[in-house]
Amino acid sequence: MKWSAVPYTAATALRRNLMRTLLTALGIVIGIGAVIAVVGLGQGASYQVEEQVNRLGQNVVLVFPEERQLGGDEPISTHRVNRLTVEDALAIEEEIPEVIAASPEVRSQRVVTYGNEYWHTPIYGQSAHYLQIRNWGIESGRMYTEEELENAETVAVIGQTVLDALFDGADPIGETIRVHGLPLRIIGVLEPKGMSLMGSVQDDLILVPYTTAFQRISGRTHAMVINTQVYDESAMDMAALKITDLLRERHGRASHQDDGFTIQTQEEVADAATETSRVMTVLLSTIAGISLFVGGIGIMNVMLVSVTERTREIGLRLALGARNRDVLSQFLFEAVILCLLGGLGGIVIGYASTEVIAVYAGWPALFSVHAMALAVSVSAAVGIFFGFYPAWKASRLDPIVALRQE
């Protein structure tokens, strides 16, 4: 039999029992659909992580006070082992050459009112360098100045969510909002920032000078985190080491004591988020692999049944001069065609389901020609792997024995 006739013969054999062919291919459809969804969502997740890390700022190093859980017979509570101060932030900015800006942060959740409108939002006390550290722009108005920071003036810069909630799109510059009776004059509106790596809305906030926050709003005396910016990405590790040495010295930590604070670089934040995304991708890929394996077993099962049903046909072909490799190639082609049909259906199903998931989850999905080529290749490989044994079994039949088969 000519090689060019093999695909036609195989397709003709599959058309004889179309319903069984479609049901057999269904396992591959599900498996390939899962592969397409995993690849699309995985690439979308990587893109989203990269975007969110960029939104975190530029060359950012974060310093957190260490927290420990107290338990035992008492209810579990959290306390800070060490406390970071405004003076710590100023020392970091002044004494470490790699650091170009540092901002102590204090935040509190408060109800903000404007006329008859009110909104529950976090209020962040920051330095005037905060927007530079976070690589964040002003949409309208301005950021507070160093002079306003030193004088603890009651000025505020609001995010887009607060703007929409209190002003419904109207110009808020120069208007006064109130936080527990304290008037805050709005001097600026932040550019939209979107979601953070932790899934929170970054636009839902109000920025005030940290002096104002400490003295008039939060009631706290210590920073909850110190945001720092390093001049270059290559200097981040060195800056983290110097910050550690400086804070240990300032807080009188002995050599046998731990730091009492935690330092996290932007690269570490990105690595943690990427690792989470990678674990999810591996998990979903495993599920997709299992689906493909189950689909492949279904292909093998149906092909074995087909060989049994067509034993006399195979014997007749062999008796009329067909070679063993002709029978082998025909049944192998049937398995591959089954899997390719499933692969094409899986691409369509995977693409559609991923778009639906992306819309409902707010998660971007990215598709590539490589992913589709991979899906087709995997389909063909599954067909060859699981279809070889039934094809080999068919090709090894004795024509005399096969023709006697009822």
Side-chain angles (χ1 to χ4, degrees):
M1 185 168 59
K2 293 182 179 179
W3 278 101
S4 58
V6 173
Y8 174 79
T9 306
T12 302
L14 290 174
R15 277 203 305 269
R16 291 175 190 163
N17 199 332
L18 188 58
M19 182 56 70
R20 187 171 71 180
T21 299
L22 294 177
L23 290 176
T24 305
L26 190 59
I28 303 299
V29 170
I30 295 172
I32 293 298
V35 170
I36 291 294
V38 167
V39 172
L41 291 174
Q43 290 180 337
S46 299
Y47 172 78
Q48 179 123 331
V49 167
E50 186 178 340
E51 286 290 303
Q52 288 175 341
V53 169
N54 291 334
R55 289 173 191 164
L56 183 63
Q58 189 170 14
N59 305 329
V60 174
V61 176
L62 304 173
V63 185
F64 298 94
E66 184 179 347
E67 295 183 348
R68 288 182 181 169
Q69 299 288 331
L70 297 179
D73 296 332
E74 300 294 330
I76 293 177
S77 62
T78 300
H79 80 124
R80 290 187 166 83
V81 175
N82 212 346
R83 293 189 169 186
L84 299 174
T85 64
V86 172
E87 289 72 25
D88 288 333
L90 296 176
I92 290 172
E93 189 173 85
E94 292 172 0
E95 298 182 25
I96 298 179
E98 288 81 1
V99 174
I100 57 177
S103 175
E105 176 180 311
V106 59
R107 60 179 178 273
S108 52
Q109 198 82 17
R110 292 287 186 271
V111 175
V112 182
T113 60
Y114 174 73
N116 295 326
E117 304 292 337
Y118 67 92
W119 188 247
H120 198 249
T121 188
I123 298 178
Y124 285 69
Q126 297 283 358
S127 77
H129 301 304
Y130 181 65
L131 297 187
Q132 171 193 330
I133 296 171
R134 294 292 309 277
N135 194 23
W136 204 341
I138 290 282
E139 185 177 82
S140 62
R142 62 177 177 84
M143 185 63 168
Y144 38 82
T145 64
E146 290 288 347
E147 184 178 358
E148 290 169 330
L149 177 76
E150 292 174 2
N151 296 331
E153 294 192 14
T154 52
V155 292
V157 178
I158 64 174
Q160 290 288 325
T161 303
V162 179
L163 172 68
D164 296 336
L166 296 182
F167 297 96
D168 195 23
D171 184 8
I173 304 300
E175 299 294 329
T176 299
I177 56 178
R178 291 184 177 276
V179 179
H180 285 194
L182 176 69
L184 292 174
R185 179 168 56 88
I186 297 176
I187 59 173
V189 177
L190 295 166
E191 289 180 345
K193 193 74 169 175
M195 303 291 287
S196 72
L197 280 170
M198 304 303 294
S200 60
V201 180
Q202 299 182 89
D203 298 314
D204 189 7
L205 83 168
I206 295 175
L207 292 180
V208 299
Y210 65 75
T211 49
T212 307
F214 277 124
Q215 298 171 19
R216 304 188 182 194
I217 297 176
S218 71
R220 296 177 183 271
T221 57
H222 296 85
M224 302 171 75
V225 58
I226 296 176
N227 302 275
T228 67
Q229 183 181 30
V230 179
Y231 69 82
D232 188 76
E233 184 178 352
S234 61
M236 291 178 74
D237 291 339
M238 179 59 71
L241 280 175
K242 290 185 177 179
I243 291 172
T244 301
D245 292 341
L246 176 65
L247 292 181
R248 286 185 65 89
E249 182 182 346
R250 286 183 56 82
H251 289 258
R253 310 296 290 182
S255 58
H256 65 278
Q257 291 180 303
D258 57 18
D259 295 335
F261 53 86
T262 305
I263 294 180
Q264 195 170 32
T265 66
Q266 189 173 3
E267 187 178 13
E268 291 171 340
V269 174
D271 289 344
T274 303
E275 179 63 16
T276 303
S277 173
R278 190 189 68 82
V279 169
M280 289 301 297
T281 301
V282 169
L283 177 64
L284 294 174
S285 298
T286 302
I287 296 173
I290 292 173
S291 300
L292 273 176
F293 184 75
V294 173
I297 290 177
I299 294 286
M300 178 183 282
N301 183 47
V302 169
M303 292 305 300
L304 285 172
V305 171
S306 179
V307 169
T308 302
E309 290 177 348
R310 294 157 61 189
T311 300
R312 286 179 60 81
E313 174 193 327
I314 297 168
L316 184 61
R317 285 174 178 269
L318 292 171
L320 293 176
R323 294 166 295 185
N324 294 78
R325 67 182 183 186
D326 295 331
V327 177
L328 176 74
S329 59
Q330 179 185 338
F331 279 87
L332 203 54
F333 259 91
E334 289 183 21
V336 171
I337 289 173
L338 265 176
C339 289
L340 287 178
L341 283 175
L344 294 175
I347 290 174
V348 175
I349 296 296
Y351 180 83
S353 60
T354 304
E355 285 292 330
V356 172
I357 293 172
V359 168
Y360 279 96
W363 195 295
L366 299 179
F367 297 97
S368 65
V369 176
H370 296 294
M372 297 187 183
L374 175 66
V376 173
S377 302
V378 168
S379 302
V382 168
I384 294 172
F385 183 80
F386 288 96
F388 182 81
Y389 175 68
W392 177 83
K393 186 179 178 183
S395 69
R396 306 305 298 175
L397 286 175
D398 185 320
I400 298 175
V401 176
L403 287 171
R404 289 177 178 171
Q405 187 78 27
E406 292 295 334

